[in-house]
Amino acid sequence: MIKLFVGLGNPGPEYEATRHNAGFWWVDALARELKLSLVAEKAYYGRMARATLHGHTFWLLQPQTFMNVSGRSVAALARFYKIAPEEILVAHDELDIAPGQAKLKFGGSHAGHNGLRDIHAQLGTGDYWRLRLGIGHPGVKSEVVDWVLRKPAPEQRMAIEDCIARTLKAFPAMLAGEMEKATLLVHTSKPPRAKPPRPEGV
């Protein structure tokens, strides 16, 4: 069962629409759907909301520490409420996935993502869930920093927004701890390609 839903990003209006803030966008969309308001909480270095649904209490969190020290916020809230790493889901931007697609994954390395790197360090483990929201790759490693801190093209932003709306459908399964079902919903959310018509007589 997921008790803590974290969205990664950088605080401040200058970063609001940048690719690196895709995790913030996901938590914002979830908060809107659940009619929750995120409130600044100094003790957890972030904006958070707490709610109970179907008997399950859960938290939404957007660290306001800047991406590279996201773990300070996540660990502070998790420790206070005794939330185990495997009960945490972190939504974040993912270079290796195309805009409009997403993957749900448990554990593994931080793959160079600075927000995940700090969460690993602060929790002392990589055994938490990640919702990897595709933002695409610029194609050249030296351009990655500039790419994540820039706004996506309008069609890419629309694809990411559509993806966020689709992956939110997995929220009830995540909350209930039905992670296989949640994974299936996230991974099969892309509409199947239309099959070409079969020739007659085959």
Side-chain angles (χ1 to χ4, degrees):
M1 167 194 329
I2 302 297
K3 293 182 180 177
L4 174 55
F5 295 85
V6 181
L8 296 188
N10 285 308
E14 67 271 38
Y15 296 108
E16 207 171 308
T18 63
R19 292 180 177 94
H20 225 12
N21 276 35
F24 273 13
W25 304 345
W26 191 83
V27 165
D28 281 335
L30 180 56
R32 279 195 302 272
E33 190 156 298
L34 298 171
K35 296 182 172 53
L36 296 173
S37 297
L38 295 158
V39 178
E41 290 283 354
K42 282 186 181 174
Y44 311 121
Y45 314 99
R47 297 172 71 235
M48 64 156 280
R50 180 181 178 174
T52 301
L53 191 65
H54 308 311
H56 299 303
T57 298
F58 62 95
W59 291 260
L60 307 186
L61 177 67
Q62 290 177 333
Q64 300 293 294
T65 52
F66 285 97
M67 183 67 84
N68 294 8
V69 280
S70 300
R72 183 193 299 173
S73 173
V74 176
L77 193 148
R79 274 197 295 267
F80 187 82
Y81 289 107
K82 297 181 171 56
I83 299 168
E86 61 270 20
E87 296 171 327
I88 298 172
L89 176 116
V90 178
H92 65 90
D93 57 306
E94 176 56 67
L95 288 158
D96 295 331
I97 299 175
Q101 295 185 38
K103 298 283 183 193
L104 189 60
K105 175 188 177 185
F106 180 75
S109 77
H110 53 68
H113 191 290
N114 287 332
L116 298 184
R117 187 197 307 272
D118 196 57
I119 292 170
H120 270 53
Q122 295 284 344
L123 293 180
T125 180
D127 290 343
Y128 54 90
W129 289 89
R130 305 96 191 267
L131 178 62
R132 304 160 72 209
L133 301 165
I135 60 164
H137 197 288
V140 183
K141 193 177 180 184
S142 60
E143 291 176 16
V144 162
V145 172
D146 190 44
W147 176 262
V148 299
L149 294 176
R150 277 210 316 258
K151 295 178 182 180
E155 65 275 12
Q156 289 182 349
R157 175 71 192 244
M158 200 176 295
I160 295 166
E161 294 283 0
D162 287 348
C163 175
I164 286 170
R166 289 197 310 267
T167 55
L168 286 182
K169 290 174 182 161
F171 169 74
M174 294 170 180
L175 191 62
E178 298 169 349
M179 299 310 286
E180 277 187 32
K181 182 180 177 182
T183 302
L184 199 63
L185 284 166
V186 168
H187 290 194
T188 59
S189 58
K190 197 159 189 260
R193 285 198 187 130
K195 289 180 182 171
R198 290 175 63 177
E200 287 180 25
V202 173

